[in-house]
Amino acid sequence: MPGEVKAILRVSDADYVPPGVTVRARIDATLFTASFADELLETLRQDSKVVSIEVSQRLRQID
């Protein structure tokens, strides 16, 4: 998916998944890994039920 963001999301309400977000794996009822279109990032930051977003960073490969 072009422009896909992978992140860890913490939400305030148990089992809440913001619109447009795909849950990749649940850690608990309010914490999960997710993927979503990059243009959704700012909307998620404005969502009052989203407590935090940690966007994953691609690490450099060390040979």
Side-chain angles (χ1 to χ4, degrees):
M1 165 186 206
E4 180 184 49
V5 174
K6 293 179 183 163
I8 300 173
L9 270 67
R10 179 172 297 279
V11 294
S12 58
D13 297 351
D15 301 318
Y16 172 69
V17 178
V21 171
T22 300
V23 174
R24 295 169 51 89
R26 273 218 180 262
I27 299 165
D28 64 27
T30 60
L31 186 66
F32 56 92
T33 61
S35 59
F36 50 88
D38 59 357
E39 62 263 10
L40 244 155
L41 185 57
E42 197 52 44
T43 301
L44 292 173
R45 287 186 171 140
Q46 302 290 326
D47 188 326
S48 62
K49 293 181 182 178
V50 176
V51 175
S52 65
I53 305 168
E54 279 297 323
V55 176
S56 51
Q57 305 280 328
R58 190 171 278 273
L59 299 176
R60 269 187 320 125
Q61 183 174 348
I62 299 173
D63 293 322

